[in-house]
Amino acid sequence: MEYTKKQIKYNWEKNIKDFTDKLQYPYSENNQSDLAKRLSSLPEETVDKTSPLTSYSEVTDYNAPIGQEYDDYQYSYEEGYFKAFKLTIAGSGNDSESFLMPALFLARHYIELSLKDEITNVSIATGTSFKVGNKDNHCLTDLSISFKKLLEENSLNILHSKFFDIVQAIDALSPKSDEFRYTTDLSGKYNLPIAFTDDNKLPKVINLIVLGQYINYIYLHLYSLYFILEDNEESLLTDTIFENPYVKGLLYGIVHSNISKTLNKSSEDQIASKIKNCISSIISNNNLTIDSSDIKVDRYDDGYQVLLNSSKLFILFKNDRSWFLKTRPLIR
């Protein structure tokens, strides 16, 4: 069929009117609740489109605060992706093929965030060293191996092989983390086949119910550990300096900084001041509510102890050409 440009523009404008009923999803046409009407409507015609987006709604439960009011972001990120995954699975029955894309991305991202967070929490609790200059690793299998090693070295592992098998199975479906986010990779090759393939190595289907059960299993184990370490008033990190999210932010900043190169090129009498300068930059660049003047860096055994006022934060020490950060163990 041939169209003129005028016909395309006419039909486009007509379809915009005709397809407004599709906005009713996921509610039925008979649902006349106030929320269904609001979520099926279009934005009001106002001059300023930004202000309504960042203003309070009359439907108060849907006002999502930006920032965590002093709390660690861990809960919001992990719970957010887990709950979004669950809602995606719950709604996937009428269009499983397209729901697969966000479902597997959310599942994979939830696991990645949770493993990284619990590796951090367990390392702080046990006083296990962080290597300074670490780069983000998106490989779920590598993260699960690091997590298992960390738990076993500290006699804390209760996880069965099933936990790690599930992580590796999901990692195998999306090893680069982008397969279900983008149509093609950086070379232009399709991430997923357009049509069914005869390649026996590729799955023909992903069972979203089973995927939901897998993520339930991961969530139950990781949230239970998170609850012990950080999420309630009797958690291990409560009433310690690491209850302060800005202190955790400082720790993350040091671990992911390139300070090792600077320190390796510095003379012995310069290192303490270089560490202090790096910390001041991290505090400033991340708007951490910590006064740089309250930070003190002292020689300590073979390393350097960092204090906030009189509280011990961590020790930085060198091993060969690498630098490491270590906290004081919190577990007896």
Side-chain angles (χ1 to χ4, degrees):
M1 180 179 292
E2 293 185 358
Y3 282 100
T4 64
K5 293 180 181 179
K6 184 176 180 180
Q7 286 174 319
I8 289 176
K9 291 169 68 176
Y10 171 81
N11 286 345
W12 188 1
E13 291 178 346
K14 181 177 181 298
N15 286 347
I16 289 172
K17 296 179 180 179
D18 292 346
F19 290 154
T20 54
D21 61 312
K22 293 179 72 65
L23 304 180
Q24 188 73 25
Y25 183 87
Y27 301 101
S28 69
E29 294 181 4
N30 297 325
N31 191 328
Q32 295 298 311
S33 68
D34 182 62
L35 181 60
K37 290 178 180 178
R38 286 172 180 265
L39 293 182
S40 303
S41 65
L42 295 170
E44 295 179 5
E45 291 296 330
T46 58
V47 176
D48 183 359
K49 294 296 189 294
T50 304
S51 180
L53 179 63
T54 56
S55 61
Y56 285 90
S57 165
E58 296 174 13
V59 189
T60 56
D61 287 346
Y62 291 83
N63 294 321
I66 301 172
Q68 303 301 295
E69 297 179 356
Y70 193 78
D71 292 331
D72 195 317
Y73 277 97
Q74 181 173 346
Y75 174 85
S76 294
Y77 275 94
E78 292 183 17
E79 284 291 303
Y81 280 101
F82 173 72
K83 289 174 179 174
F85 166 78
K86 294 283 284 188
L87 289 172
T88 300
I89 294 294
S92 66
N94 62 353
D95 191 5
S96 60
E97 186 174 359
S98 61
F99 272 78
L100 169 63
M101 309 305 171
L104 197 50
F105 169 72
L106 291 169
R108 195 192 188 290
H109 198 57
Y110 163 72
I111 294 174
E112 180 181 341
L113 287 174
S114 298
L115 285 175
K116 287 179 176 178
D117 285 336
E118 292 320 312
I119 287 172
T120 298
N121 285 339
V122 173
S123 296
I124 290 173
T126 58
T128 300
S129 301
F130 297 86
K131 185 176 180 181
V132 175
N134 267 349
K135 301 300 180 184
D136 277 338
N137 186 351
H138 300 292
C139 177
L140 298 186
T141 299
D142 288 350
L143 288 170
S144 70
I145 291 171
S146 297
F147 186 47
K148 182 179 182 181
K149 180 181 178 183
L150 176 63
L151 293 173
E152 289 179 344
E153 287 178 346
N154 289 282
S155 302
L156 291 173
N157 193 17
I158 66 163
L159 298 173
H160 301 292
S161 60
K162 181 178 182 179
F163 179 94
F164 302 100
D165 290 344
I166 287 174
V167 173
Q168 291 174 22
I170 293 175
D171 192 31
L173 292 173
S174 181
K176 298 178 182 177
S177 81
D178 287 339
E179 291 86 347
F180 291 83
R181 285 204 292 172
Y182 304 110
T183 308
T184 63
D185 62 18
L186 293 177
S187 68
K189 179 182 178 183
Y190 282 108
N191 280 319
L192 300 174
I194 295 178
F196 285 108
T197 174
D198 294 329
D199 188 343
N200 292 328
K201 294 181 181 179
L202 293 175
K204 304 295 190 295
V205 66
I206 293 175
N207 187 321
L208 295 181
I209 296 297
V210 174
L211 179 62
Q213 294 169 348
Y214 279 6
I215 299 303
N216 285 343
Y217 187 87
I218 299 296
Y219 175 84
L220 183 62
H221 287 75
L222 292 183
Y223 180 78
S224 296
L225 178 60
Y226 167 60
F227 189 81
I228 292 170
L229 296 177
E230 193 173 30
D231 192 40
N232 71 92
E233 61 185 15
E234 296 182 358
S235 293
L236 185 65
L237 298 184
T238 301
D239 296 330
T240 73
I241 192 65
F242 293 102
E243 184 182 26
N244 184 336
Y246 304 116
V247 170
K248 261 196 168 182
L250 177 58
L251 184 151
Y252 295 151
I254 289 284
V255 169
H256 293 287
S257 73
N258 59 1
I259 191 175
S260 291
K261 295 179 180 178
T262 300
L263 297 182
N264 285 336
K265 292 187 287 187
S266 303
S267 61
E268 194 71 28
D269 61 344
Q270 293 177 321
I271 291 180
S273 62
K274 295 289 186 182
I275 293 173
K276 179 73 183 287
N277 290 340
C278 175
I279 290 174
S280 296
S281 295
I282 291 169
I283 290 172
S284 175
N285 292 338
N286 292 282
N287 295 317
L288 301 178
T289 308
I290 299 174
D291 192 334
S292 295
S293 64
D294 293 333
I295 296 289
K296 187 177 181 181
V297 181
D298 293 329
R299 282 300 306 262
Y300 183 85
D301 292 339
D302 294 329
Y304 295 82
Q305 182 169 257
V306 177
L307 301 96
L308 176 59
N309 293 319
S310 58
S311 298
K312 299 175 182 177
L313 297 185
F314 41 75
I315 296 169
L316 289 168
F317 65 94
K318 186 177 181 181
N319 187 356
D320 293 329
R321 296 285 294 173
S322 297
W323 283 80
F324 294 84
L325 181 153
K326 179 181 174 67
T327 63
R328 178 174 56 87
L330 302 174
I331 301 174
R332 292 193 301 271

